[in-house]
Amino acid sequence: MFEHMSVERARNPISPTNGIGRCVRGALTAEEAMIRGRLDWTVSKRPLTTVDRDGYWMDVPDKYVIVRDDNDRVLDVVGNQMTPLQNTECFDFVDHMAGPGQLLTYDTVGCLRGGSRIFLIAALENLTFEPTPGDPVHPYLVLFDGKDGNMRLVTFPSYKRLSCENEVAGMLFEAKQMGSKQVVAFKHTNTIHKRIDEAKRMMRSTTEQVAEYSERMRYFARKQINRAQWEELLDKVMPLPKLQEDESPGRGWTMANNKRELVTQLFESGRGTDIVGVRGTAWGAYNAFTEYTTHHARVNVGLPKEDKAYDQKRSERVLESTWVGTNKKLTQKVEKLLLEA
């Protein structure tokens, strides 16, 4: 890790306009960004209690609830090993990730599922690069933290691509797979604070990470992809179900073929393909898949489309899938195949 503004901006999973994140550009400190983004609340781990048959309150052994302190919302039931991080600690960790000398500006922050998960997005202002002239890519740092005991603290570099003056033309381009040198992930155990302190001391410079990524993307911009290579890439990433002799295509085959046709359309005429050095290259192919995953791929929303909360819930699911779910795995696979081709 973007058009007609009224339509596509609503699909951008980190746009402050969709109710998920809040724009905090201009905040001078992490504390100010936290307040403006309405993340200035804490969580606490409290004993889980119940009533016995005589009507007396009793603690449930080794079970606790994670509670959002400002509104007493219960975020999850956890075991005794789960240690939640406070939002202030998350901001502090992002500041350390940037490394010395980086111009870090908080851009968008927000929470999902009522506070069960939070995210921070900070721009690295002095590390912008262009895979091909006229197609700037802006590096960001992202932190995603779960307060519900079901998700690790995850931090990674991510990228936005801008195609014209005021319109977003790309989305978050994922770094490397979980656990790689560009991604830091911690379980919320009672040793998490010690591990974070160790990571702060050992973390590689973000400048080096962005430089490595920019070199890969510049290589993609130089690498031509012909029709046969594109079809081969589709067969590996979005294979069609095999049909038996004389078998007519069913619903599954049709859906798979529709995905392939859509991604092909994005490869040929998607956002930014009018920029010299994009159409017909591995860079253009990469962007076609990232545009698909962030704007068109299906996600399980769990609500009917007529529900008032549908759009926000869908945006939440797209964001999670892009950063830590199925869509992330797809873009990682595409990047790997393009590097090997």
Side-chain angles (χ1 to χ4, degrees):
M1 10 96 83
F2 283 143
E3 78 221 10
H4 302 301
M5 294 295 286
S6 60
V7 176
E8 297 302 339
R9 181 170 286 178
R11 294 178 180 173
N12 179 354
I14 61 166
S15 170
T17 61
N18 60 16
I20 296 179
R22 290 186 173 274
C23 177
V24 294
R25 298 185 197 104
L28 299 178
T29 63
E31 181 180 9
E32 183 181 346
M34 188 168 61
I35 293 172
R36 288 176 54 180
R38 298 185 182 178
L39 291 182
D40 53 334
W41 43 266
T42 59
V43 295
S44 56
K45 181 178 175 181
R46 308 180 190 178
L48 178 62
T49 59
T50 188
V51 178
D52 65 18
R53 60 185 178 182
D54 296 321
Y56 293 101
W57 287 99
M58 55 180 279
D59 290 343
V60 178
D62 299 324
K63 292 294 181 183
Y64 299 82
V65 288
I66 303 299
V67 179
R68 180 170 162 172
D69 295 323
D70 62 333
N71 58 14
D72 286 330
R73 178 178 180 139
V74 175
L75 302 180
D76 202 0
V77 177
V78 300
N80 58 3
Q81 293 295 313
M82 198 281 182
T83 302
L85 285 180
Q86 301 300 340
N87 294 343
T88 53
E89 296 176 293
C90 294
F91 276 89
D92 179 64
F93 191 44
V94 169
D95 286 342
H96 277 83
M97 279 195 70
Q102 302 309 320
L103 298 178
L104 183 145
T105 303
Y106 282 97
D107 183 275
T108 307
V109 305
C111 64
L112 310 176
R113 307 185 186 188
S116 294
R117 297 179 181 183
I118 70 161
F119 64 90
L120 319 177
I121 305 172
L124 296 166
E125 303 288 357
N126 58 337
L127 296 181
T128 297
F129 62 91
E130 295 186 358
T132 189
D135 197 5
V137 175
H138 297 258
Y140 287 74
L141 283 177
V142 175
L143 179 143
F144 210 81
D145 183 48
K147 313 293 186 186
D148 55 4
N150 295 318
M151 182 182 177
R152 298 181 180 189
L153 167 75
V154 182
T155 59
F156 52 88
S158 200
Y159 306 85
K160 277 185 184 177
R161 171 181 173 242
L162 303 183
S163 69
C164 54
E165 185 174 353
N166 293 315
E167 298 178 6
V168 180
M171 207 21 222
L172 293 172
F173 302 152
E174 293 306 333
K176 288 276 190 176
Q177 62 184 351
M178 194 74 69
S180 75
K181 59 188 178 183
Q182 288 201 326
V183 177
V184 178
F186 299 111
K187 290 182 178 180
H188 289 80
T189 65
N190 52 17
T191 62
I192 187 169
H193 292 97
K194 180 179 179 180
R195 295 192 63 200
I196 286 177
D197 288 340
E198 291 175 354
K200 288 177 181 178
R201 293 193 297 269
M202 299 173 62
M203 197 168 295
R204 298 177 63 226
S205 168
T206 303
T207 304
E208 295 177 30
Q209 298 179 27
V210 173
E212 291 175 2
Y213 179 86
S214 66
E215 282 304 308
R216 291 200 302 276
M217 298 306 111
R218 290 189 178 98
Y219 168 72
F220 283 174
R222 297 191 301 268
K223 187 181 183 68
Q224 297 297 308
I225 298 291
N226 59 35
R227 187 69 186 190
Q229 292 171 317
W230 174 252
E231 292 293 335
E232 182 180 356
L233 179 63
L234 283 178
D235 288 339
K236 292 178 179 179
V237 179
M238 295 178 169
L240 290 171
K242 292 184 178 180
L243 299 176
Q244 300 298 322
E245 188 175 353
D246 298 328
E247 180 185 0
S248 299
R251 183 171 180 270
W253 190 96
T254 301
M255 291 178 64
N257 190 58
N258 288 343
K259 289 181 183 179
R260 291 164 61 103
E261 290 182 350
L262 174 56
V263 176
T264 299
Q265 179 183 344
L266 298 175
F267 177 55
E268 295 172 346
S269 58
R271 299 176 180 86
T273 52
D274 57 329
I275 300 172
V276 176
V278 176
R279 184 182 289 117
T281 65
W283 174 235
Y286 186 49
N287 289 320
F289 279 99
T290 56
E291 183 178 344
Y292 168 78
T293 58
T294 57
H295 290 78
H296 302 284
R298 290 189 175 188
V299 290
N300 182 18
V301 178
L303 293 173
K305 288 187 176 181
E306 58 271 16
D307 193 295
K308 292 182 179 180
Y310 177 85
D311 288 341
Q312 178 171 340
K313 188 66 69 174
R314 182 185 185 279
S315 294
E316 288 188 9
R317 294 294 183 262
V318 169
L319 182 142
E320 291 185 76
S321 183
T322 300
W323 285 345
V324 292
T326 303
N327 289 344
K328 175 186 176 181
K329 294 177 182 178
L330 187 147
T331 53
Q332 288 170 348
K333 184 174 183 179
V334 170
E335 181 178 348
K336 183 175 183 292
L337 290 170
L338 288 172
L339 286 170
E340 294 174 348

